Amino acid sequence: MKEQPWWYGRLKDSGARLTEPREIVLEILRSAREHLTATDIYIQAHRMKPSIGLTTVYRTLELLIKLGIVQKFELGEGKARFELVDKPGGEGHHHLVCLKCRKIIDYSDITNDEKEFLSRVEDRLKRKYDFKILDHLMWFYGVCRECRGS
Amino acid sequence: MKEQPWWYGRLKDSGARLTEPREIVLEILRSAREHLTATDIYIQAHRMKPSIGLTTVYRTLELLIKLGIVQKFELGEGKARFELVDKPGGEGHHHLVCLKCRKIIDYSDITNDEKEFLSRVEDRLKRKYDFKILDHLMWFYGVCRECRGS
DNA sequence: TAAAGTATTGGAAATGATTTTCATTATCAG
DNA sequence: CTGATAATGAAAATCATTTCCAATACTTTA
């Protein structure tokens, strides 16, 4: 029997059904090289199964976000982008954005250094602001080699 | 003669005029305790000078963003929020977001620990991805005391 | 298995933030 | 002062996202 993706159980446990539109959206997200907008996903989904509606794409994304399977980003473009969350127990990843071409690189070479640092910061925030920290996100902005010229 | 705010020169150098609507928007941002939406700013501005239009608020924000005076954020609310950028040479600050009430705390207790860590990471990214890092942003997500219940 | 209840779906319409258009007004250089 | 340019505001247009609602699909219960 085939290995199920990590989010399979989470979906099932929630009581939600793994319907074809949902499978399609998940498959598109899984194989995406970049962060897709709802419309990007809709276009691809529609190609695979023309009956799928944009509303369903939005609803599916909403469900997956609520279940912690998908993460939503907004980068000031006036529309959101979506990405499959890292497998739990994985390292997480950060983002590197080119300010010129808007290219986004996901990187996940998280060193121990980094991990320790983050837990120290989270500790500090917890004590100082009485926030229970659940997650964090780091964005680095810069200019990629191509956009800097030769 | 009165001390000009740090962004004054930047605005002048760009060739833009410091008009009344622009002054009003800047003043609102300066005295804001939280991150305001364009409409929030419009409402306050309108109170101070009823002839100001929403369009002008948007246009002013766009200009200030281009000049690096204002930063735009989106937090998945379907609308953007705006914040005056830190005075150059300052320490920068990070954000702490409550996932329940969406409250945002800006914090700027940047420790040396943190500063060193960030420069190490930036170095590493520079070497590995050949990105010239110009800036970074850290977001921490959690639940504030009030939203966790007593 | 059939009936009934619930979850899911898709299209159309509604919403709401942001942008564009365009005519008017304010400011600056000569 | 005069012409050129920048800035403004109202209304209309856009565009992403949400809401409504009627039709389907699946699951459970009798």
Side-chain angles (χ1 to χ4, degrees), chain A residues 59-112:
Chain A
R59 265 189 305 232
T60 300
L61 289 170
E62 186 190 8
L63 171 71
L64 296 175
I65 289 167
K66 196 178 311 171
L67 294 177
I69 295 172
V70 162
Q71 198 157 2
K72 177 180 179 181
F73 296 112
E74 294 186 70
L75 300 174
E77 302 169 292
K79 55 194 163 185
R81 291 184 176 271
F82 303 87
E83 174 185 47
L84 219 48
V85 163
D86 297 302
K87 190 198 302 262
E91 294 293 312
H93 69 263
H94 302 321
H95 296 90
L96 202 50
V97 185
C98 175
L99 292 169
K100 288 222 172 140
C101 64
R102 286 281 156 188
K103 169 172 46 195
I104 305 174
I105 294 179
D106 287 11
Y107 83 96
S108 52
D109 334 298
I110 314 279
T111 59
N112 283 334

Short mmCIF file of all heavy atoms in Angstrom, two decimals, chain A residues 59-112:
data_model
loop_
_atom_site.label_atom_id
_atom_site.label_comp_id
_atom_site.label_asym_id
_atom_site.label_seq_id
_atom_site.Cartn_x
_atom_site.Cartn_y
_atom_site.Cartn_z
N ARG A 59 -12.19 28.06 -1.38
CA ARG A 59 -12.67 27.34 -0.20
C ARG A 59 -11.70 26.26 0.23
O ARG A 59 -11.50 26.03 1.42
CB ARG A 59 -14.04 26.75 -0.49
CG ARG A 59 -15.16 27.66 -0.01
CD ARG A 59 -16.48 26.95 -0.10
NE ARG A 59 -16.70 26.47 -1.45
CZ ARG A 59 -17.80 26.71 -2.17
NH1 ARG A 59 -18.77 27.43 -1.65
NH2 ARG A 59 -17.92 26.22 -3.37
N THR A 60 -11.12 25.59 -0.73
CA THR A 60 -10.17 24.54 -0.40
C THR A 60 -8.94 25.12 0.29
O THR A 60 -8.47 24.60 1.30
CB THR A 60 -9.75 23.78 -1.68
OG1 THR A 60 -10.92 23.22 -2.25
CG2 THR A 60 -8.76 22.68 -1.36
N LEU A 61 -8.46 26.22 -0.26
CA LEU A 61 -7.30 26.86 0.36
C LEU A 61 -7.62 27.28 1.79
O LEU A 61 -6.82 27.08 2.70
CB LEU A 61 -6.87 28.06 -0.48
CG LEU A 61 -6.22 27.70 -1.82
CD1 LEU A 61 -6.06 28.94 -2.68
CD2 LEU A 61 -4.87 27.02 -1.62
N GLU A 62 -8.81 27.81 1.97
CA GLU A 62 -9.21 28.24 3.31
C GLU A 62 -9.20 27.06 4.29
O GLU A 62 -8.67 27.15 5.40
CB GLU A 62 -10.62 28.84 3.22
CG GLU A 62 -11.10 29.47 4.51
CD GLU A 62 -12.59 29.81 4.42
OE1 GLU A 62 -13.24 29.43 3.41
OE2 GLU A 62 -13.10 30.46 5.35
N LEU A 63 -9.75 25.95 3.82
CA LEU A 63 -9.77 24.75 4.65
C LEU A 63 -8.35 24.30 4.99
O LEU A 63 -8.02 24.01 6.13
CB LEU A 63 -10.52 23.63 3.92
CG LEU A 63 -10.44 22.24 4.56
CD1 LEU A 63 -11.25 22.20 5.85
CD2 LEU A 63 -10.94 21.17 3.59
N LEU A 64 -7.51 24.23 3.97
CA LEU A 64 -6.15 23.74 4.17
C LEU A 64 -5.35 24.66 5.08
O LEU A 64 -4.52 24.20 5.86
CB LEU A 64 -5.45 23.58 2.81
CG LEU A 64 -6.09 22.54 1.90
CD1 LEU A 64 -5.40 22.53 0.53
CD2 LEU A 64 -6.03 21.14 2.52
N ILE A 65 -5.64 25.94 5.00
CA ILE A 65 -4.96 26.87 5.90
C ILE A 65 -5.41 26.62 7.34
O ILE A 65 -4.61 26.53 8.25
CB ILE A 65 -5.27 28.33 5.50
CG1 ILE A 65 -4.56 28.66 4.20
CG2 ILE A 65 -4.83 29.29 6.60
CD1 ILE A 65 -5.03 29.95 3.55
N LYS A 66 -6.72 26.44 7.50
CA LYS A 66 -7.23 26.20 8.84
C LYS A 66 -6.63 24.92 9.44
O LYS A 66 -6.38 24.84 10.63
CB LYS A 66 -8.77 26.09 8.80
CG LYS A 66 -9.39 26.24 10.17
CD LYS A 66 -10.91 26.17 10.08
CE LYS A 66 -11.45 27.10 9.00
NZ LYS A 66 -12.89 26.92 8.73
N LEU A 67 -6.37 23.96 8.60
CA LEU A 67 -5.80 22.70 9.08
C LEU A 67 -4.28 22.76 9.20
O LEU A 67 -3.64 21.79 9.59
CB LEU A 67 -6.18 21.57 8.13
CG LEU A 67 -7.68 21.23 8.08
CD1 LEU A 67 -7.93 20.13 7.06
CD2 LEU A 67 -8.17 20.80 9.45
N GLY A 68 -3.72 23.89 8.84
CA GLY A 68 -2.27 24.03 8.96
C GLY A 68 -1.50 23.31 7.87
O GLY A 68 -0.32 23.01 8.02
N ILE A 69 -2.17 23.02 6.77
CA ILE A 69 -1.50 22.31 5.69
C ILE A 69 -0.93 23.28 4.66
O ILE A 69 0.04 23.00 3.98
CB ILE A 69 -2.51 21.34 5.02
CG1 ILE A 69 -2.92 20.25 6.01
CG2 ILE A 69 -1.93 20.72 3.75
CD1 ILE A 69 -4.05 19.36 5.55
N VAL A 70 -1.57 24.44 4.59
CA VAL A 70 -1.13 25.44 3.62
C VAL A 70 -0.88 26.76 4.34
O VAL A 70 -1.52 27.05 5.35
CB VAL A 70 -2.20 25.61 2.52
CG1 VAL A 70 -2.02 26.92 1.75
CG2 VAL A 70 -2.15 24.44 1.54
N GLN A 71 0.05 27.51 3.84
CA GLN A 71 0.34 28.82 4.40
C GLN A 71 0.08 29.89 3.35
O GLN A 71 0.33 29.67 2.17
CB GLN A 71 1.80 28.85 4.83
CG GLN A 71 2.09 29.97 5.79
CD GLN A 71 3.33 29.69 6.62
OE1 GLN A 71 3.98 28.67 6.45
NE2 GLN A 71 3.66 30.62 7.52
N LYS A 72 -0.44 30.99 3.80
CA LYS A 72 -0.80 32.09 2.91
C LYS A 72 0.17 33.25 3.11
O LYS A 72 0.50 33.58 4.23
CB LYS A 72 -2.22 32.53 3.27
CG LYS A 72 -2.77 33.71 2.53
CD LYS A 72 -4.18 33.99 3.05
CE LYS A 72 -4.82 35.18 2.37
NZ LYS A 72 -6.17 35.43 2.93
N PHE A 73 0.62 33.82 2.01
CA PHE A 73 1.52 34.96 2.09
C PHE A 73 0.96 36.11 1.31
O PHE A 73 0.30 35.93 0.30
CB PHE A 73 2.86 34.63 1.45
CG PHE A 73 3.60 33.56 2.14
CD1 PHE A 73 3.80 32.34 1.52
CD2 PHE A 73 4.10 33.76 3.41
CE1 PHE A 73 4.50 31.34 2.17
CE2 PHE A 73 4.79 32.76 4.06
CZ PHE A 73 4.99 31.55 3.43
N GLU A 74 1.29 37.30 1.75
CA GLU A 74 0.98 38.46 0.92
C GLU A 74 2.21 39.33 0.85
O GLU A 74 2.86 39.60 1.84
CB GLU A 74 -0.19 39.23 1.49
CG GLU A 74 -1.47 38.41 1.43
CD GLU A 74 -2.66 39.23 1.88
OE1 GLU A 74 -3.05 40.15 1.16
OE2 GLU A 74 -3.19 38.94 2.96
N LEU A 75 2.54 39.73 -0.34
CA LEU A 75 3.78 40.46 -0.56
C LEU A 75 3.54 41.85 -1.10
O LEU A 75 4.37 42.40 -1.80
CB LEU A 75 4.67 39.69 -1.53
CG LEU A 75 5.06 38.29 -1.07
CD1 LEU A 75 5.81 37.58 -2.16
CD2 LEU A 75 5.91 38.40 0.18
N GLY A 76 2.36 42.37 -0.84
CA GLY A 76 2.08 43.72 -1.32
C GLY A 76 1.71 43.77 -2.79
O GLY A 76 1.77 44.79 -3.43
N GLU A 77 1.31 42.63 -3.34
CA GLU A 77 0.89 42.62 -4.74
C GLU A 77 -0.61 42.79 -4.86
O GLU A 77 -1.14 42.78 -5.97
CB GLU A 77 1.23 41.27 -5.39
CG GLU A 77 2.67 40.88 -5.35
CD GLU A 77 2.80 39.42 -5.78
OE1 GLU A 77 2.32 38.53 -5.04
OE2 GLU A 77 3.36 39.18 -6.85
N GLY A 78 -1.30 42.85 -3.75
CA GLY A 78 -2.75 42.94 -3.80
C GLY A 78 -3.42 41.59 -3.99
O GLY A 78 -4.61 41.50 -4.20
N LYS A 79 -2.64 40.53 -3.95
CA LYS A 79 -3.25 39.20 -4.00
C LYS A 79 -2.36 38.25 -3.22
O LYS A 79 -1.17 38.48 -3.06
CB LYS A 79 -3.41 38.72 -5.44
CG LYS A 79 -2.15 38.72 -6.23
CD LYS A 79 -2.45 38.56 -7.71
CE LYS A 79 -1.24 38.98 -8.53
NZ LYS A 79 -1.50 38.95 -9.96
N ALA A 80 -2.98 37.21 -2.71
CA ALA A 80 -2.26 36.31 -1.82
C ALA A 80 -1.57 35.21 -2.61
O ALA A 80 -1.97 34.88 -3.72
CB ALA A 80 -3.23 35.72 -0.81
N ARG A 81 -0.55 34.65 -2.02
CA ARG A 81 0.13 33.48 -2.59
C ARG A 81 0.11 32.37 -1.56
O ARG A 81 0.07 32.62 -0.36
CB ARG A 81 1.56 33.83 -2.99
CG ARG A 81 1.60 34.77 -4.18
CD ARG A 81 2.99 35.07 -4.69
NE ARG A 81 2.91 35.91 -5.88
CZ ARG A 81 2.81 35.41 -7.12
NH1 ARG A 81 2.82 34.09 -7.32
NH2 ARG A 81 2.70 36.24 -8.14
N PHE A 82 0.13 31.14 -2.06
CA PHE A 82 -0.05 30.00 -1.18
C PHE A 82 1.07 28.99 -1.35
O PHE A 82 1.59 28.80 -2.45
CB PHE A 82 -1.40 29.34 -1.46
CG PHE A 82 -2.54 30.29 -1.31
CD1 PHE A 82 -2.96 31.10 -2.36
CD2 PHE A 82 -3.18 30.42 -0.08
CE1 PHE A 82 -4.00 32.00 -2.21
CE2 PHE A 82 -4.23 31.32 0.07
CZ PHE A 82 -4.64 32.11 -0.99
N GLU A 83 1.36 28.32 -0.28
CA GLU A 83 2.47 27.37 -0.27
C GLU A 83 2.14 26.25 0.70
O GLU A 83 1.57 26.48 1.77
CB GLU A 83 3.73 28.11 0.19
CG GLU A 83 4.93 27.25 0.39
CD GLU A 83 6.11 28.07 0.95
OE1 GLU A 83 5.89 28.82 1.93
OE2 GLU A 83 7.21 27.94 0.44
N LEU A 84 2.50 25.03 0.33
CA LEU A 84 2.33 23.90 1.22
C LEU A 84 3.27 24.08 2.41
O LEU A 84 4.44 24.44 2.23
CB LEU A 84 2.69 22.63 0.44
CG LEU A 84 1.87 21.37 0.65
CD1 LEU A 84 0.39 21.64 0.58
CD2 LEU A 84 2.27 20.33 -0.38
N VAL A 85 2.76 23.83 3.59
CA VAL A 85 3.59 23.95 4.80
C VAL A 85 4.60 22.80 4.81
O VAL A 85 4.36 21.74 4.26
CB VAL A 85 2.68 23.90 6.04
CG1 VAL A 85 3.47 23.61 7.29
CG2 VAL A 85 1.90 25.19 6.17
N ASP A 86 5.74 23.03 5.44
CA ASP A 86 6.73 21.96 5.53
C ASP A 86 6.19 20.80 6.34
O ASP A 86 5.42 20.97 7.26
CB ASP A 86 7.98 22.48 6.22
CG ASP A 86 8.62 23.59 5.41
OD1 ASP A 86 8.94 23.33 4.26
OD2 ASP A 86 8.76 24.70 5.94
N LYS A 87 6.67 19.64 5.99
CA LYS A 87 6.33 18.44 6.73
C LYS A 87 6.67 18.67 8.21
O LYS A 87 7.74 19.19 8.53
CB LYS A 87 7.19 17.30 6.19
CG LYS A 87 6.83 15.91 6.66
CD LYS A 87 8.01 14.96 6.42
CE LYS A 87 8.44 14.88 4.97
NZ LYS A 87 7.89 13.74 4.25
N PRO A 88 5.76 18.31 9.11
CA PRO A 88 6.05 18.54 10.53
C PRO A 88 7.31 17.77 10.92
O PRO A 88 7.54 16.68 10.42
CB PRO A 88 4.83 17.98 11.25
CG PRO A 88 3.85 17.57 10.22
CD PRO A 88 4.49 17.64 8.87
N GLY A 89 8.07 18.33 11.80
CA GLY A 89 9.32 17.69 12.16
C GLY A 89 10.44 18.10 11.23
O GLY A 89 11.60 17.88 11.49
N GLY A 90 10.05 18.70 10.10
CA GLY A 90 11.07 19.22 9.19
C GLY A 90 11.66 20.49 9.78
O GLY A 90 11.34 20.89 10.89
N GLU A 91 12.49 21.11 9.01
CA GLU A 91 13.26 22.22 9.55
C GLU A 91 12.59 23.57 9.39
O GLU A 91 13.03 24.54 9.96
CB GLU A 91 14.62 22.26 8.84
CG GLU A 91 15.48 21.05 9.13
CD GLU A 91 15.90 21.02 10.59
OE1 GLU A 91 16.35 22.07 11.08
OE2 GLU A 91 15.75 19.96 11.24
N GLY A 92 11.56 23.65 8.59
CA GLY A 92 11.00 24.96 8.30
C GLY A 92 11.88 25.62 7.26
O GLY A 92 12.93 25.10 6.94
N HIS A 93 11.43 26.72 6.74
CA HIS A 93 12.28 27.40 5.81
C HIS A 93 12.00 28.89 5.80
O HIS A 93 10.97 29.33 6.29
CB HIS A 93 12.13 26.82 4.40
CG HIS A 93 10.82 27.10 3.78
ND1 HIS A 93 9.77 26.22 3.80
CD2 HIS A 93 10.36 28.18 3.12
CE1 HIS A 93 8.74 26.75 3.18
NE2 HIS A 93 9.07 27.96 2.75
N HIS A 94 12.91 29.61 5.23
CA HIS A 94 12.77 31.05 5.19
C HIS A 94 12.72 31.50 3.74
O HIS A 94 12.80 30.69 2.84
CB HIS A 94 13.93 31.70 5.94
CG HIS A 94 13.99 31.25 7.35
ND1 HIS A 94 12.86 31.06 8.11
CD2 HIS A 94 15.02 30.90 8.14
CE1 HIS A 94 13.20 30.66 9.31
NE2 HIS A 94 14.51 30.54 9.36
N HIS A 95 12.59 32.80 3.57
CA HIS A 95 12.42 33.30 2.21
C HIS A 95 13.42 34.39 1.89
O HIS A 95 13.73 35.23 2.72
CB HIS A 95 11.02 33.87 2.04
CG HIS A 95 9.95 32.84 2.19
ND1 HIS A 95 9.37 32.55 3.38
CD2 HIS A 95 9.39 32.03 1.28
CE1 HIS A 95 8.48 31.60 3.20
NE2 HIS A 95 8.45 31.26 1.93
N LEU A 96 13.84 34.34 0.66
CA LEU A 96 14.80 35.28 0.14
C LEU A 96 14.13 35.93 -1.06
O LEU A 96 13.79 35.25 -2.02
CB LEU A 96 16.00 34.44 -0.32
CG LEU A 96 17.36 35.05 -0.47
CD1 LEU A 96 17.74 35.81 0.78
CD2 LEU A 96 18.38 33.93 -0.70
N VAL A 97 13.89 37.23 -0.99
CA VAL A 97 13.15 37.89 -2.06
C VAL A 97 14.04 38.87 -2.82
O VAL A 97 14.73 39.68 -2.19
CB VAL A 97 11.97 38.72 -1.49
CG1 VAL A 97 11.14 39.30 -2.61
CG2 VAL A 97 11.12 37.87 -0.57
N CYS A 98 14.00 38.79 -4.11
CA CYS A 98 14.72 39.79 -4.90
C CYS A 98 13.82 41.00 -5.09
O CYS A 98 12.72 40.90 -5.61
CB CYS A 98 15.13 39.25 -6.26
SG CYS A 98 15.90 40.55 -7.27
N LEU A 99 14.31 42.15 -4.66
CA LEU A 99 13.50 43.36 -4.70
C LEU A 99 13.27 43.85 -6.12
O LEU A 99 12.38 44.62 -6.38
CB LEU A 99 14.15 44.46 -3.87
CG LEU A 99 14.16 44.20 -2.37
CD1 LEU A 99 15.06 45.19 -1.66
CD2 LEU A 99 12.75 44.28 -1.80
N LYS A 100 14.11 43.40 -7.05
CA LYS A 100 13.92 43.86 -8.42
C LYS A 100 12.98 42.97 -9.20
O LYS A 100 11.98 43.42 -9.70
CB LYS A 100 15.28 43.94 -9.14
CG LYS A 100 16.13 45.10 -8.64
CD LYS A 100 16.83 45.80 -9.80
CE LYS A 100 17.52 47.07 -9.30
NZ LYS A 100 18.84 47.27 -9.92
N CYS A 101 13.33 41.68 -9.29
CA CYS A 101 12.51 40.81 -10.14
C CYS A 101 11.43 40.08 -9.33
O CYS A 101 10.62 39.37 -9.89
CB CYS A 101 13.36 39.81 -10.90
SG CYS A 101 14.24 38.62 -9.89
N ARG A 102 11.41 40.29 -8.00
CA ARG A 102 10.37 39.69 -7.17
C ARG A 102 10.48 38.17 -7.07
O ARG A 102 9.54 37.50 -6.63
CB ARG A 102 8.97 40.08 -7.64
CG ARG A 102 8.62 41.51 -7.31
CD ARG A 102 8.23 41.65 -5.86
NE ARG A 102 8.44 43.00 -5.36
CZ ARG A 102 8.31 43.34 -4.08
NH1 ARG A 102 7.98 42.45 -3.18
NH2 ARG A 102 8.54 44.56 -3.69
N LYS A 103 11.57 37.65 -7.59
CA LYS A 103 11.80 36.21 -7.46
C LYS A 103 11.88 35.86 -5.97
O LYS A 103 12.40 36.61 -5.17
CB LYS A 103 13.12 35.88 -8.16
CG LYS A 103 13.64 34.49 -7.91
CD LYS A 103 14.86 34.20 -8.81
CE LYS A 103 15.88 35.33 -8.85
NZ LYS A 103 16.84 35.22 -9.94
N ILE A 104 11.35 34.71 -5.62
CA ILE A 104 11.44 34.28 -4.23
C ILE A 104 12.19 32.96 -4.16
O ILE A 104 11.86 32.02 -4.88
CB ILE A 104 10.05 34.04 -3.62
CG1 ILE A 104 9.19 35.30 -3.77
CG2 ILE A 104 10.17 33.66 -2.16
CD1 ILE A 104 7.76 35.09 -3.31
N ILE A 105 13.18 32.88 -3.33
CA ILE A 105 13.88 31.62 -3.10
C ILE A 105 13.51 31.14 -1.71
O ILE A 105 13.56 31.90 -0.75
CB ILE A 105 15.41 31.84 -3.17
CG1 ILE A 105 15.82 32.22 -4.60
CG2 ILE A 105 16.15 30.59 -2.71
CD1 ILE A 105 17.31 32.47 -4.74
N ASP A 106 13.08 29.90 -1.61
CA ASP A 106 12.87 29.31 -0.30
C ASP A 106 14.17 28.67 0.11
O ASP A 106 14.77 27.95 -0.68
CB ASP A 106 11.83 28.18 -0.38
CG ASP A 106 10.43 28.74 -0.57
OD1 ASP A 106 10.31 29.94 -0.83
OD2 ASP A 106 9.49 27.95 -0.46
N TYR A 107 14.60 28.90 1.29
CA TYR A 107 15.81 28.20 1.69
C TYR A 107 15.61 27.57 3.05
O TYR A 107 14.87 28.06 3.87
CB TYR A 107 17.04 29.11 1.66
CG TYR A 107 17.23 29.95 2.88
CD1 TYR A 107 18.08 29.54 3.90
CD2 TYR A 107 16.56 31.15 3.01
CE1 TYR A 107 18.27 30.32 5.02
CE2 TYR A 107 16.74 31.92 4.11
CZ TYR A 107 17.59 31.51 5.13
OH TYR A 107 17.76 32.28 6.23
N SER A 108 16.27 26.45 3.24
CA SER A 108 16.02 25.74 4.48
C SER A 108 17.30 25.20 5.09
O SER A 108 17.27 24.24 5.81
CB SER A 108 15.03 24.60 4.23
OG SER A 108 15.49 23.82 3.15
N ASP A 109 18.40 25.84 4.78
CA ASP A 109 19.64 25.43 5.43
C ASP A 109 19.66 26.06 6.80
O ASP A 109 20.37 27.01 7.05
CB ASP A 109 20.88 25.93 4.69
CG ASP A 109 20.58 26.15 3.23
OD1 ASP A 109 20.23 25.17 2.58
OD2 ASP A 109 20.66 27.31 2.78
N ILE A 110 18.82 25.53 7.65
CA ILE A 110 18.78 26.09 8.98
C ILE A 110 19.88 25.43 9.80
O ILE A 110 19.91 24.22 9.93
CB ILE A 110 17.44 25.81 9.65
CG1 ILE A 110 16.31 26.10 8.70
CG2 ILE A 110 17.33 26.59 10.93
CD1 ILE A 110 15.95 27.53 8.61
N THR A 111 20.75 26.22 10.27
CA THR A 111 21.84 25.66 11.07
C THR A 111 21.41 25.55 12.51
O THR A 111 20.40 26.12 12.92
CB THR A 111 23.05 26.59 11.01
OG1 THR A 111 22.63 27.84 11.53
CG2 THR A 111 23.53 26.77 9.59
N ASN A 112 22.18 24.85 13.29
CA ASN A 112 21.89 24.75 14.71
C ASN A 112 21.97 26.12 15.35
O ASN A 112 21.16 26.49 16.19
CB ASN A 112 22.88 23.81 15.39
CG ASN A 112 22.53 22.38 15.08
OD1 ASN A 112 21.37 22.07 14.81
ND2 ASN A 112 23.51 21.51 15.10
#
